[in-house]
């Protein structure tokens, strides 16, 4: 980890916050509980315990793995519906196949991202390919849910396949950090992901002792999730480690620093930085549906049960699975 890297970060554009930027203080640090998703793959629930007012427009995020599967062990999800939001699946190590009831989907592997706008709704499945099930191997990724505003919740579904080589690569002034802009904009540099709700998504790798202070849009919230390693966040250097999420307050810059010493199996600090413009609309969320009202949720379940969100392709046969995550 990670797949997308460069030999010499100093060849990349350098990013730092201006001297007069207002530093964001750290409001809270939470630790993600562990659980299982789909057919039994391990996850960390990155946003558990965080008040939604600090997350909006993000809904949830799972760190999938990191796990080394033995032959026959790799697992995915059964067919399940979605409506009213976008799922962002970022594969750091490993490979995942996606397929939906409209014939869409594809394969994503090391460093790729699949951005699925569920909109009005569809059925889909995520699973390791058969050869990975047979051989086993490393699997590690993220799935992020991004809310859609009411006016976009019933739009037509769509996919974006964001290949590893298309992300925008940046660095810190001293070259101690590698920044991968997957979506949104950072200091005038734009990532490939096209979003309905304005957001920024960055995967940062910091060498031991490295520090980044990045400009951050004042109308965005600010979150930092630690994929691996140890470090600190904010000018006050609040300690963080693997599986923890830091919530930043208001301001125009945020700071992350890697500890001088990392664990033996984690040479660097790996962090996902997220920011988005809050939608500030009522949210009704249950299972795989994210709507604005309870009545809209009930309609989503009725539409699913009556097959209006699509049907499982005949080659897979029918399923008795209920709504998944």
């Amino acid at each position: 980890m990670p797949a997308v890297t460069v030999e010499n970060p100093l060849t990349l554009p350098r990013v730092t916050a201006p001297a007069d930027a207002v530093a964001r203080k750290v409001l809270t640090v939470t630790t993600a509980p562990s659980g299982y998703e789909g057919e039994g793959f391990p996850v960390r629930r990155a946003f558990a315990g965080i008040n939604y007012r600090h997350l909006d427009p993000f809904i949830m995020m799972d760190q999938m793995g990191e796990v080394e599967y033995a032959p026959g062990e790799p697992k995915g999800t059964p067919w399940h519906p979605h409506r009213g939001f976008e799922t962002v699946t970022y594969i750091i190590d490993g490979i995942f196949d996606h397929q939906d009831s409209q014939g869409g989907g594809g394969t994503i592997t090391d460093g790729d991202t699949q951005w699925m706008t569920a909109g009005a709704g569809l059925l889909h499945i995520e699973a390791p390919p058969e050869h990975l099930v047979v051989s086993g191997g490393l699997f590690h990724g993220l799935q992020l849910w991004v809310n859609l505003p009411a006016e976009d919740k019933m739009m037509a579904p769509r996919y974006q396949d964001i290949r590893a080589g298309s992300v925008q690569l940046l660095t810190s002034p001293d070259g101690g950090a590698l920044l991968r802009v997957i979506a949104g904009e950072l200091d005038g540099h734009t990532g490939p992901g096209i979003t309905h709700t304005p957001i920024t998504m960055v995967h940062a790798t910091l060498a031991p002792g490295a520090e980044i202070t990045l400009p951050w849009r004042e109308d965005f919230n600010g979150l930092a999730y630690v994929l691996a390693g140890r470090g600190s966040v904010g000018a006050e250097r609040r300690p963080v480690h693997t599986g923890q999420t830091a919530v930043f307050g208001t301001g125009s810059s945020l700071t992350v620093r890697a500890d001088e010493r990392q664990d033996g199996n984690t040479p660097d600090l790996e962090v996902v930085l997220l920011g988005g413009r809050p939608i500030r609309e009522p949210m009704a969320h249950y299972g795989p549906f994210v709507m604005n009202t309870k009545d809209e949720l009930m309609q989503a379940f009725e539409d699913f049960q009556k097959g209006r969100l699509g049907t499982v392709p005949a080659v897979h046969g029918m399923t008795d699975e209920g709504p998944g995550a």
Side-chain angles (χ1 to χ4, degrees):
M1 181 180 80
V4 183
T5 188
V6 293
E7 288 188 11
N8 182 9
L10 289 174
T11 62
L12 302 172
R14 305 180 196 188
V15 177
T16 190
D20 60 351
V22 178
R24 289 175 176 245
K25 294 183 178 180
V26 178
L27 301 181
T28 184
V29 172
T30 60
T31 300
S34 297
Y36 291 91
E37 189 54 80
E39 295 173 337
F41 59 83
V43 298
R44 285 190 175 104
R45 310 285 190 190
F47 296 162
I50 300 174
N51 191 297
Y52 182 64
R53 73 177 186 275
H54 297 314
L55 299 177
D56 185 14
F58 308 110
I59 301 163
M60 58 152 278
M61 186 168 73
D62 284 346
Q63 180 180 6
M64 305 179 293
E66 184 175 4
V67 58
E68 183 75 40
Y69 283 120
E73 284 188 341
K75 298 175 176 67
T77 68
W79 283 92
H80 58 282
H82 285 307
R83 172 181 279 181
F85 64 102
E86 300 182 287
T87 62
V88 182
T89 306
Y90 174 45
I91 299 299
I92 299 167
D93 292 297
I95 185 169
F96 231 24
D97 287 339
H98 284 234
Q99 184 181 359
D100 73 26
S101 52
Q102 299 185 353
T107 298
I108 50 176
T109 187
D110 302 343
D112 293 342
T113 301
Q114 188 168 81
W115 205 292
M116 186 184 81
T117 303
L122 44 63
L123 305 182
H124 86 141
I125 187 171
E126 303 156 298
E130 185 61 30
H131 69 83
L132 182 63
V133 175
V134 172
S135 66
L138 182 64
F139 181 77
H140 189 202
L142 286 176
Q143 186 168 94
L144 171 71
W145 289 14
V146 185
N147 202 3
L148 288 170
E151 64 183 9
D152 292 329
K153 283 193 178 293
M154 297 300 287
M155 67 176 292
R158 74 169 185 187
Y159 278 105
Q160 297 174 71
D161 283 321
I162 303 170
R163 296 304 170 187
S166 70
V167 300
Q168 174 69 62
L169 299 180
L170 307 169
T171 191
S172 54
D174 64 359
L178 178 61
L179 310 171
R180 305 165 192 82
V181 184
I182 297 169
E185 177 267 342
L186 182 64
D187 197 31
H189 303 276
T190 303
I194 300 169
T195 70
H196 288 278
T197 303
I199 74 164
T200 294
M201 181 178 182
V202 178
H203 176 187
T205 299
L206 286 76
E211 181 175 292
I212 51 174
T213 297
L214 302 178
W216 210 250
R217 282 181 49 167
E218 292 187 70
D219 61 335
F220 278 20
N221 58 3
L223 303 161
Y225 177 73
V226 182
L227 288 165
R230 294 182 175 275
S232 60
V233 286
E236 63 270 42
R237 294 197 175 184
R238 183 86 171 264
V240 291
H241 59 74
T242 302
Q244 290 192 315
T245 302
V247 177
F248 290 90
T250 58
S252 55
S253 72
L254 54 80
T255 297
V256 179
R257 187 180 188 279
D259 283 356
E260 295 282 355
R261 298 185 63 181
Q262 299 291 328
D263 298 333
N265 60 345
T266 308
D268 302 308
L269 175 66
E270 304 285 348
V271 181
V272 173
L273 303 172
L274 295 168
R277 189 172 68 199
I279 295 174
R280 295 193 177 96
E281 293 177 350
M283 184 180 72
H285 170 205
Y286 189 82
F289 305 125
V290 183
M291 305 304 292
N292 292 101
T293 68
K294 289 184 178 179
D295 286 347
E296 290 171 344
L297 276 184
M298 292 175 64
Q299 184 64 55
F301 275 105
E302 179 181 331
D303 289 347
F304 166 58
Q305 291 164 354
K306 292 187 176 181
R308 296 170 186 152
L309 300 190
T311 57
V312 176
V315 66
H316 290 276
M318 299 305 293
T319 178
D320 294 326
E321 294 284 352

